Amino acid sequence: MALPVEEWQLCVARRWAALEPVLRERLAAASLQDTLRLGCGLLRPEAEVAALRQLCRLVPASKEPAAARFYREEGNRLFGRRQYGAALRLYSQAASHELPGSPEVSVCFANRSAALFHLGRFEVCLEDIARAESHGYPDRLLPKVLLRKAECLLCLGRLQDAANALSAVENKIAMDGIMTSPAHQTLLKKLSQLKTKIREKESCPQPAQEACGDIQRKSEIWEENDSISGASSSLRLNFDIERGRHLVAIQDIHPGQNLLKEEAFVSVLCPGESVLLQDSDETAWDTRVTNADLYCHRCLVQLLASVPCRGCSYAKYCSQNCADVAWEQYHRTECSLGALLLTLGVFCHVALRTVLLAGFAEVSRLVEGSHDNDKDFHNPEARCEHPSEAPDTRTGIRGIPGCNDNGQYQSSYQAVFNLLPHAEKHSPEHKFLCVLSVVAICKQLQEAGLEAAVLNRESSEKCSKPEICEKTSCELSPELKIMAEAMLRHVLQLQCNAQAITVMQESGSGDGAVVNKKPVRLATAFFPVLSLLNHSCCPNISVSFSGTAATVRASQPIPSGQEIFHCYGPHRCRMRVAERQQLLSQYFFKCRCQACLDELESDVKSVVSMRNSFLCPSCHASMQGEDMLCCSNEACAISVSRESLSRRLQDLQQQIKKALELLKDRRADQAIKMLLKCQMDAGNFLSPKHLLMGEMEDHLAQVYATLGKWQEAARHLKRSIEIVEVHHGPSSVEIGHELFKLAQILFNGFAVSEALSTIQRAEKILSVHCGPQSTQIQELQEMKTCLLELPRSILQRT
Ligand SMILES: *[C@@H]1O[C@H](CO)[C@@H](O)[C@H](O)[C@H]1NC(C)=O
Ligand SMILES: *[C@@H]1O[C@H](CO)[C@@H](O)[C@H](O)[C@H]1NC(C)=O
Ligand SMILES: *[C@@H]1O[C@H](CO)[C@@H](O)[C@H](O)[C@H]1NC(C)=O
Ligand SMILES: CC(=O)N[C@H]1CO[C@H](CO)[C@@H](O)[C@@H]1O
Ligand SMILES: [Zn+2]
Ligand SMILES: [Zn+2]
Ligand SMILES: [Zn+2]
Ligand SMILES: [Zn+2]
């Protein structure tokens, strides 16, 4: 996903293997500028470009009227079955394939407004009705939609507006003349019903419903560092040759304290895995939804009624404003390249969007500056200017790469540009893949006549003489070469500096009673300030995201003087040291954090291997060893290969998956039977503290919750929590999420005092990791308020 599709990787690998050895050596040692210069000539139109074009055909990103018709009919079908949520998504898919301003797209919006109405999303329904009207909704169909508008306004308590909307319908009907068809008769009946309703509501005004728990949220204390944008004043930026740039605490920091708030410089949504929509049959068009259908392509908020891009069927936005801003800033250039960008992977896409956001002037200033630096590098007198030299302490952080002339480190393009590309550490084959991919993008931009857009120039400056275009089609213009060189640098940087934006996404059959969420990767982004943090397998911070903004909080006390560490992925609780080191090798360093040192140099077993161990299938004592496992009970001394136990573990995971599918099909009783059987089986060869044992308890809790058996659900969830605690620690974010679930179950089961104490524990942990203003905390506080009001309302009734 981050990298190009496999077929293109293979195509480039073949090209690499066929190159002259001399040329391969030159490429391996070349600077970015020379790599690009050489790469330009190596992408052959009849071979590589043709192959890419072929691959792009497999990725639908353009508008197709046939697809639109299919999705809309499918939407109507599900609407008829009262599956309004699924119908809503299909109408959105349909709209994304219609041309803006066409009567067809307006019908999609009107249809979608009907689904929204049934889902009780009245505000959004009104937006869709307005959208339908502005895109030329057919006049003869208008009365029905206007009535829906009046109904929405009525539901929202906006009586005057509702009355106005009704008189608009009446006028419309009157203008159209006498109507006799049955459909019109129903309309008239509905009209008079609505009128009565408005009159009733007016005569006995209800008090506006008060939300359960309208809490005053205290804003967090926050003092920003003058020199590092987004960072707290309790941090400073240090630089030394061994550790590079890094952030250090200059005060004692307490858990939960806010350390960094940064808006991504650039982010690109990852299409992600597709999720099957319920109850839709296999058909010619894909009815599955992916992240690309669920989140705004610009600001990453969850989509309800998406606004489609005017040009492609891929990009979708939360609002017209997001669509317009994205178009202005980058999408007018990207739009026609949709399939190519999906084929070449998210890193290439981020690289392109980065240079588009920065603008040609800034990109060329920095690229040309870097060429001067390269020259200085070979000139010993200019050496002291070079970043690898320690900065002059008198000038503060001014000499640190990425800082501006005022000595400030900001979340700017300059900072992004100065993230380390490690050009000399990447394999030559990988660099070759990157350069050919970047050149392919730039050539396509040039061919599509988008060069002016890329360079932020008026399109009148665009190449008007065909013969010039002809000439440049095999050679990139000097300006595009500069953009391409910067893109190559960014693709290489991303391997070490890409930051995943994750969200907690609802999973499984969301019945609403208990929300089961798991983290999913939403987007790939550059956060230049966050990138200053070095890795540790036992980090003392927690990162959370809201839209495209990242917040970093201390999860442990951090004493003054200590470096702040972030975990790039491999955490000591989830992987053994060998796996971690292997994963971290992509960042070109060997981790020497406390956990790694302990596990490597002494005989300390990793927490993962200790807890996720196997039991002797015969006597249930623990098994020891590497490839061949031996029972620790001398009397038994059975030995089994790790491979056969791993296979048994995989079989078990398959069974669990099947049980979850049963749950999705609403066959809860069978799911329980199957999970209990899995548990029995697992007890014969997995240690009781194995993470999978916890997962099974968690699934059981979920099934019982869907049946409304709250006590059983709570019992299983508590066992899951015990195991999660062993693995992740009592104040980990994982425990926070488990307690949140337990709170919901106890809340639903009216176990008031236990629910209150669980809410308190969850609040304490989650406010450290996610902040006191996060939605999780809000939901917990709402539950608390409801519980505290409960006895009073019961008393009143009796
Ligand atoms: C969708 O729009 C078409 C055309 O107006 C209409 O015939 C159909 O009933 C609508 N479906 C729903 C669910 O509103
Ligand atoms: C901010 O960072 C700078 C440079 O790292 C440091 O010298 C300074 O003490 C920090 N604190 C404040 C309040 O700016
Ligand atoms: C983070 O905190 C834990 C527990 O307080 C400590 O064991 C660990 O060494 C710390 N990690 C770093 C990188 O400072
Ligand atoms: C990505 C990065 O900056 N890694 C550095 C983390 O710190 C170690 C030393 O502690 C360096 O070797 C890495 O280069
Ligand atoms: Zn948006
Ligand atoms: Zn588009
Ligand atoms: Zn480590
Ligand atoms: Zn044994």
Side-chain angles (χ1 to χ4, degrees):
M1 197 169 54
L3 294 178
V5 298
E6 211 176 319
E7 291 87 342
W8 172 241
Q9 292 192 34
L10 289 173
C11 175
V12 175
R14 279 195 297 272
R15 180 83 174 114
W16 172 257
L19 290 183
E20 299 270 330
V22 190
L23 188 50
R24 283 211 297 257
E25 270 165 40
R26 265 179 75 196
L27 273 165
S31 67
L32 289 182
Q33 190 182 14
D34 292 336
T35 308
L36 187 87
R37 209 179 286 152
L38 292 167
C40 274
L42 294 172
L43 186 82
R44 296 166 302 180
E46 75 287 5
E48 287 79 34
V49 175
L52 255 185
R53 205 161 281 151
Q54 204 66 33
L55 288 172
C56 286
R57 292 220 183 97
L58 304 173
V59 191
S62 51
K63 293 191 187 288
E64 290 185 50
R69 267 194 304 281
F70 165 78
Y71 285 127
R72 202 161 72 81
E73 278 160 20
E74 199 64 5
N76 281 337
R77 196 171 66 79
L78 293 189
F79 187 98
R81 292 210 224 147
R82 296 167 189 254
Q83 294 178 8
Y84 302 119
L88 173 85
R89 298 230 175 87
L90 287 160
Y91 290 139
S92 295
Q93 299 271 52
S96 73
H97 279 283
E98 299 285 13
L99 293 175
S102 65
E104 287 82 9
V105 79
S106 71
V107 170
C108 293
F109 291 139
N111 276 170
R112 195 169 67 180
S113 74
L116 285 164
F117 182 80
H118 284 276
L119 290 168
R121 306 301 297 257
F122 304 120
E123 302 275 3
V124 194
C125 174
L126 287 175
E127 284 172 25
D128 254 359
I129 291 174
R131 245 172 235 143
E133 285 179 290
S134 74
H135 283 264
Y137 192 64
D139 211 42
R140 64 192 164 80
L141 299 174
L142 211 49
K144 197 167 142 193
V145 172
L146 289 178
L147 271 183
R148 187 175 301 141
K149 183 171 166 182
E151 236 176 326
C152 258
L153 291 165
L154 188 66
C155 292
L156 288 169
R158 290 161 58 182
L159 302 185
Q160 188 54 50
D161 293 337
N164 293 346
L166 271 190
S167 39
V169 188
E170 275 176 318
N171 288 341
K172 185 92 196 63
I173 293 176
M175 261 171 44
D176 291 351
I178 315 145
M179 299 191 295
T180 46
S181 78
H184 287 140
Q185 292 305 321
T186 356
L187 260 184
L188 288 174
K189 204 164 128 210
K190 186 113 205 211
L191 182 66
S192 73
Q193 279 172 352
L194 270 181
K195 271 186 175 167
T196 324
K197 263 197 203 163
I198 292 184
R199 243 176 280 124
E200 278 170 12
K201 274 208 174 179
E202 275 169 345
S203 61
C204 82
Q206 286 173 330
Q209 223 178 12
E210 248 177 88
C212 190
D214 192 15
I215 311 127
Q216 285 264 316
R217 264 171 259 127
K218 38 188 183 311
S219 71
E220 287 177 79
I221 316 145
W222 167 260
E223 201 186 318
E224 189 170 332
N225 185 302
D226 300 331
S227 315
I228 316 161
S229 69
S232 135
S233 59
S234 49
L235 303 181
R236 63 173 281 140
L237 179 59
N238 272 6
F239 180 88
D240 64 47
I241 295 167
E242 197 195 331
R243 283 184 291 186
R245 298 171 297 186
H246 56 278
L247 293 174
V248 172
I250 50 176
Q251 286 165 15
D252 289 343
I253 290 169
H254 58 82
Q257 194 174 325
N258 223 322
L259 298 180
L260 194 67
K261 281 193 243 174
E262 187 181 18
E263 188 61 42
F265 178 81
V266 58
S267 62
V268 171
L269 189 92
C270 307
E273 285 173 54
S274 53
V275 207
L276 203 63
L277 271 186
Q278 278 181 12
D279 291 301
S280 51
D281 308 321
E282 287 291 324
T283 39
W285 307 99
D286 209 345
T287 52
R288 289 172 301 180
V289 292
T290 68
N291 282 344
D293 306 306
L294 297 176
Y295 298 91
C296 175
H297 285 222
R298 175 169 175 264
C299 73
L300 302 180
V301 309
Q302 204 159 3
L303 291 176
L304 185 61
S306 57
V307 176
C309 169
R310 64 185 90 172
C312 63
S313 66
Y314 179 67
K316 299 175 185 75
Y317 302 94
C318 67
S319 61
Q320 194 58 48
N321 180 51
C322 259
D324 292 343
V325 174
W327 184 263
E328 223 15 73
Q329 289 186 335
Y330 47 82
H331 193 67
R332 66 195 162 121
T333 314
E334 296 175 354
C335 188
S336 66
L337 269 62
L340 181 65
L341 293 170
L342 285 168
T343 305
L344 293 178
V346 175
F347 280 5
C348 281
H349 197 165
V350 174
L352 173 62
R353 194 171 288 180
T354 304
V355 298
L356 293 175
L357 282 167
F360 176 69
E362 185 67 358
V363 173
S364 86
R365 180 178 79 84
L366 287 161
V367 168
E368 273 155 16
S370 75
H371 296 163
D372 296 343
N373 255 346
D374 287 347
K375 280 182 215 124
D376 291 346
F377 188 59
H378 299 289
N379 165 8
E381 258 126 76
R383 263 288 176 87
C384 56
E385 295 277 316
H386 195 264
S388 71
E389 218 63 29
D392 187 344
T393 41
R394 280 166 305 157
T395 57
I397 65 174
R398 190 169 308 163
I400 297 180
C403 291
N404 64 17
D405 296 340
N406 299 324
Q408 286 165 327
Y409 187 91
Q410 283 173 327
S411 187
S412 62
Y413 183 64
Q414 180 169 359
V416 171
F417 192 86
N418 279 289
L419 296 172
L420 294 179
H422 290 296
E424 66 296 341
K425 292 183 185 156
H426 290 277
S427 74
E429 290 91 332
H430 179 69
K431 271 200 288 185
F432 189 62
L433 173 66
C434 296
V435 75
L436 284 203
S437 305
V438 164
V439 170
I441 293 176
C442 291
K443 288 206 165 159
Q444 166 114 33
L445 285 172
Q446 194 163 272
E447 270 166 38
L450 286 164
E451 185 171 355
V454 176
L455 306 178
N456 313 40
R457 292 190 181 145
E458 292 304 314
S459 43
S460 60
E461 276 179 51
K462 199 171 78 184
C463 179
S464 52
K465 292 178 202 141
E467 64 272 29
I468 294 179
C469 287
E470 205 95 337
K471 208 176 78 201
T472 52
S473 72
C474 54
E475 192 37 43
L476 291 178
S477 71
E479 290 88 353
L480 270 182
K481 270 196 187 144
I482 287 180
M483 292 300 245
E485 185 184 332
M487 280 167 66
L488 176 59
R489 166 184 283 263
H490 298 320
V491 176
L492 296 177
Q493 287 169 333
L494 280 163
Q495 185 164 326
C496 294
N497 292 291
Q499 173 66 50
I501 296 182
T502 56
V503 289
M504 297 298 289
Q505 193 174 63
E506 281 181 34
S507 63
S509 59
D511 280 15
V514 177
V515 184
N516 203 8
K517 291 181 172 178
K518 60 170 194 198
V520 293
R521 184 193 190 105
L522 245 202
T524 298
F526 270 131
F527 287 95
V529 184
L530 186 55
S531 277
L532 293 173
L533 299 179
N534 215 335
H535 166 86
S536 163
C537 303
C538 47
N540 284 345
I541 58 154
S542 198
V543 186
S544 57
F545 297 93
S546 162
T548 54
T551 303
V552 173
R553 285 166 207 286
S555 59
Q556 307 275 346
I558 303 175
S560 172
Q562 195 185 302
E563 182 175 352
I564 314 294
F565 287 103
H566 177 28
C567 178
Y568 295 171
H571 194 281
R572 66 187 266 271
C573 290
R574 288 190 289 267
M575 282 175 215
R576 307 204 267 169
V577 64
E579 288 173 84
R580 297 204 302 264
Q581 298 272 334
Q582 212 252 316
L583 241 159
L584 289 168
S585 64
Q586 68 159 306
Y587 299 103
F588 307 116
F589 74 94
K590 197 159 167 55
C591 185
R592 309 195 48 81
C593 75
Q594 207 51 50
C596 284
L597 290 179
D598 287 352
E599 285 174 47
L600 279 174
E601 280 158 25
S602 57
D603 225 10
V604 178
K605 277 257 185 82
S606 92
V607 283
V608 179
S609 53
M610 250 177 352
R611 288 161 201 155
N612 279 344
S613 59
F614 292 114
L615 297 187
C616 169
S618 159
C619 74
H620 293 190
S622 67
M623 299 291 278
Q624 289 164 346
E626 280 304 312
D627 292 345
M628 209 57 198
L629 294 171
C630 227
C631 179
S632 59
N633 172 4
E634 278 176 32
C636 169
I638 273 187
S639 69
V640 188
S641 74
R642 180 178 288 274
E643 204 192 330
S644 80
L645 286 171
S646 298
R647 214 174 307 126
R648 198 162 160 190
L649 184 65
Q650 279 168 13
D651 288 345
L652 184 66
Q653 281 164 329
Q654 281 301 320
Q655 290 293 310
I656 296 175
K657 231 179 177 173
K658 276 188 198 149
L660 293 181
E661 271 156 27
L662 287 173
L663 178 61
K664 241 184 220 166
D665 289 344
R666 294 170 201 276
R667 285 147 67 186
D669 288 334
Q670 275 166 287
I672 290 177
K673 266 196 205 134
M674 198 143 174
L675 283 171
L676 289 174
K677 201 176 142 282
C678 289
Q679 245 186 351
M680 290 264 292
D681 185 28
N684 287 326
F685 75 109
L686 294 182
S687 101
K689 296 283 182 243
H690 197 287
L691 209 48
L692 197 62
M693 294 299 236
E695 278 173 31
M696 281 186 279
E697 295 286 3
D698 191 278
H699 297 322
L700 278 165
Q702 195 192 338
V703 189
Y704 280 117
T706 61
L707 294 174
K709 297 190 173 172
W710 307 112
Q711 279 180 349
E712 275 95 337
R715 195 159 48 83
H716 286 285
L717 196 58
K718 282 181 204 160
R719 289 208 212 115
S720 159
I721 290 176
E722 279 169 27
I723 296 176
V724 172
E725 187 165 327
V726 172
H727 285 263
H728 296 284
S731 47
S732 60
V733 67
E734 286 83 1
I735 281 290
H737 291 311
E738 291 294 299
L739 287 172
F740 185 87
K741 270 191 268 180
L742 183 59
Q744 291 179 86
I745 286 173
L746 295 168
F747 177 88
N748 284 316
F750 290 106
V752 178
S753 68
E754 211 187 341
L756 284 173
S757 65
T758 306
I759 289 172
Q760 202 170 11
R761 269 183 78 195
E763 251 180 342
K764 202 165 156 228
I765 295 170
L766 287 173
S767 67
V768 164
H769 293 278
C770 313
Q773 287 160 319
S774 59
T775 49
Q776 283 101 322
I777 298 292
Q778 283 170 39
E779 284 169 31
L780 285 169
Q781 292 182 341
E782 278 165 25
M783 270 194 265
K784 188 159 68 182
T785 316
C786 288
L787 285 173
L788 291 175
E789 282 180 357
L790 202 59
R792 190 162 38 118
S793 58
I794 289 174
L795 279 179
Q796 278 166 353
R797 233 176 284 154
T798 48

